Amino acid sequence: MIVRVSLLTAAAGCAIGADAATPSGQIEGGAPQQAAAQPPAFNPFQGMERNGLIPKAKLPDDVNEPERWRYIPEGRIKPGNVLQRFMVTSFASPIVYYEEAVGAGGGLSLTDIDFRERRRREFLGLFAAHSTLGQEQYSLVWQRWLAHRELPTGGVIEEERTWLRGVVGYNRTLTRRFFGFGPDSRKSDETSYTDESAYAEALYQASLPKPGDDTVLTLGLLGQHHNLAAGRVPNRPNAQTVYPGVISAADGNDSLWATVGLRYDTRDSQHNAYRGWATGVTMQVAPLQDNHRAGAVGEWRTSLVIPVPGLFHSGGTPDEENPPTDVIAVGGFLQWTMGDVPFFALPSLGGPYTLRGYLADRFTDRAAWHASAEYRFWVIPRGFSITDSIRVERLGLAPFYDIGTVAPDVPGLADARAHHSYGIGLRATLERTALFRCDFGWSKDQFAVNVAYGLSF
């Protein structure tokens, strides 16, 4: 049995009040002393209405592709330190869980979407967790949006496509699963292993030639180290025993990966699109691995989003920023492998992003294809407020269907048996770029629950 609980902390520091104004007085031999000017009080509704509606802001005439810039009203940029901004732009979530294989565990997730008080230009996230049996996870994520502008009327705008990101982390996962290779692996083939990894990654993404344009370039470098050991899943054999050659070849893997991606993207948002399509190719190349091996994984990915009439709402107003919009979304990818890469870097299906009714890495091989369709509709289009500063923007549902398979090579995908999963997801947004989901998926193997940040495609 697995029990996982994650509750948002309710503790926050009190705002530091302004010093009392110094009474006017007479300085000897000089003019009367004036009271110090006090900054205006923060207004959580500046630039927005009390029901959550945000009127569109007038953007400068030189802004390219204005529908791809996100407007953040002044009322969502609370000044102050991390505690003073708690639950507006800084968040803390304790993590408590229990699983037989890893024991009882706990940790803390800290996020600050206005790190260093740069007017919502920088993000910092810290995650740390440890269990009684030695499972560990630590990571630090920093991101800076490079296309960010102040508006003379208040608030800021930022373009989602152009940013710089850095990630470092260490994980010791006791329950990684491996079912063997190919599309015909069975549920009873499950084995487990422990994966201890350390990694550092830098990513850069930009629209070309100007922020907001259709062509998007992605560049990245990832260095990582993996140590593999016996798994801890009860009543399942160890992968080291069943697949000794596969595990030994990947144990102690040191590698440097370079990422190069180029896509054509007409969508109005990278995080939660309401219209448009995208298609592009990404290559992840490992020119440096231990034992002088080299390899690469390529991907061609495409998606289409079509707005449809609202099921529980009228679709908002034409002069509204981010109106509630129901959509039908379809997407898919083709992946292939060149050269030599460790088995955990091969294309795989299952988990929170593919075949959501299966365990993660349920199907693995050197090539894969996958397609998904979702009907995303908003049930509570205006959300609800917790306090004047804390608000859930909207809540919705998304029935989905996934299909895909794996094979030793791309030609073999044509004859490989396809696998299916279906289900329904819960959606909640704090704002358009902050979407949380919980997907309930069914497959012929099992029922699975996946909780994640952001959409699956």
Side-chain angles (χ1 to χ4, degrees):
M1 180 180 70
I2 301 174
V3 179
R4 297 182 185 272
V5 180
S6 179
L7 301 175
L8 199 63
T9 55
C14 296
I16 300 174
D19 293 336
T22 303
S24 297
Q26 186 73 29
I27 299 178
E28 184 178 355
Q33 182 180 6
Q34 300 297 319
Q38 299 300 308
F42 172 69
N43 176 9
F45 297 105
Q46 185 175 350
M48 59 188 297
E49 299 181 6
R50 287 186 173 269
N51 67 352
L53 186 149
I54 301 176
K56 278 188 176 179
K58 178 174 173 51
L59 305 188
D61 293 337
D62 63 340
V63 169
N64 183 48
E65 300 287 352
E67 75 280 358
R68 296 174 185 168
W69 292 70
R70 303 279 77 83
Y71 167 56
I72 304 169
E74 199 67 33
R76 302 304 300 167
I77 313 175
K78 187 175 183 179
N81 59 39
V82 172
L83 294 179
Q84 292 169 312
R85 296 184 283 106
F86 186 71
M87 287 296 290
V88 180
T89 54
S90 66
F91 307 90
S93 175
I95 299 161
V96 181
Y97 61 90
Y98 173 78
E99 185 177 349
E100 182 182 358
V102 302
L108 185 65
S109 175
L110 301 173
T111 57
D112 189 346
I113 60 176
D114 195 9
F115 179 57
R116 300 195 305 154
E117 294 185 76
R118 291 298 187 264
R119 304 278 292 166
R120 296 284 298 269
R121 187 167 191 168
E122 286 190 28
F123 166 89
L124 185 71
L126 173 65
F127 177 85
H130 192 282
S131 80
T132 56
L133 294 183
Q135 179 155 294
E136 299 176 83
Q137 291 179 292
Y138 308 100
S139 63
L140 180 70
V141 182
W142 169 86
Q143 180 163 312
R144 181 179 178 87
W145 284 267
L146 303 178
H148 182 280
R149 297 180 61 172
E150 295 278 349
L151 294 181
T153 55
V156 300
I157 56 173
E158 62 185 21
E159 195 265 332
E160 296 179 7
R161 302 166 180 235
T162 306
W163 44 258
L164 181 65
R165 180 186 303 159
V167 184
V168 294
Y170 169 83
N171 295 331
R172 186 169 184 261
T173 305
L174 307 180
T175 55
R176 290 290 299 269
R177 269 83 166 181
F178 183 56
F179 294 81
F181 298 107
D184 299 319
S185 62
R186 300 163 299 176
K187 184 180 179 181
S188 60
D189 294 332
E190 178 182 350
T191 67
S192 76
Y193 63 96
T194 292
D195 184 7
E196 182 182 28
S197 64
Y199 56 90
E201 183 176 29
L203 282 169
Y204 169 73
Q205 181 176 281
S207 293
L208 301 175
K210 295 183 295 184
D213 279 340
D214 293 328
T215 303
V216 181
L217 172 70
T218 303
L219 300 173
L221 282 176
L222 167 66
Q224 60 182 359
H225 171 77
H226 285 264
N227 282 328
L228 307 185
R232 303 288 185 87
V233 178
N235 304 316
R236 293 291 185 272
N238 282 317
Q240 288 179 316
T241 302
V242 181
Y243 304 99
V246 173
I247 300 300
S248 62
D251 187 20
N253 178 269
D254 293 299
S255 58
L256 177 67
W257 293 78
T259 298
V260 180
L262 192 66
R263 71 177 183 270
Y264 188 82
D265 195 336
T266 71
R267 295 174 299 167
D268 61 337
S269 173
Q270 304 290 282
H271 298 280
N272 188 11
Y274 296 150
R275 56 186 55 82
W277 59 276
T279 187
V281 174
T282 300
M283 293 297 301
Q284 293 180 297
V285 182
L288 297 176
Q289 295 190 78
D290 53 354
N291 299 327
H292 306 288
R293 295 175 296 175
V297 178
E299 178 187 78
W300 170 52
R301 183 179 291 268
T302 189
S303 64
L304 171 67
V305 182
I306 303 171
V308 296
L311 192 60
F312 293 98
H313 57 85
S314 62
T317 63
D319 59 350
E320 177 181 353
E321 177 76 15
N322 187 27
T325 307
D326 294 358
V327 303
I328 292 176
V330 295
F333 64 76
L334 172 68
Q335 295 176 335
W336 61 94
T337 305
M338 297 171 288
D340 192 4
V341 301
F343 76 97
F344 52 73
L346 292 172
S348 65
L349 301 180
Y353 299 97
T354 60
L355 292 182
R356 285 166 278 181
Y358 289 92
L359 286 174
D361 302 324
R362 177 63 179 81
F363 302 99
T364 301
D365 217 323
R366 292 180 61 86
W369 70 265
H370 185 268
S372 295
E374 290 189 351
Y375 174 30
R376 304 166 183 166
F377 59 91
W378 300 110
V379 179
I380 305 179
R382 293 294 175 211
F384 55 89
S385 60
I386 301 172
T387 70
D388 284 350
S389 299
I390 305 169
R391 181 175 187 84
V392 175
E393 183 184 55
R394 59 184 57 123
L395 298 174
L397 296 172
F400 64 84
Y401 173 75
D402 302 326
I403 182 173
T405 193
V406 299
D409 50 37
V410 172
L413 292 171
D415 298 322
R417 180 162 58 98
H419 300 277
H420 312 258
S421 71
Y422 60 91
I424 189 166
L426 306 179
R427 304 288 188 264
T429 64
L430 301 179
E431 55 189 53
R432 191 166 181 180
T433 58
L435 184 144
F436 300 86
R437 63 183 169 93
C438 179
D439 289 336
F440 303 90
W442 287 264
S443 68
K444 70 172 186 177
D445 272 11
Q446 65 177 118
F447 165 73
V449 180
N450 294 291
V451 180
Y453 174 80
L455 295 169
S456 63
F457 68 95

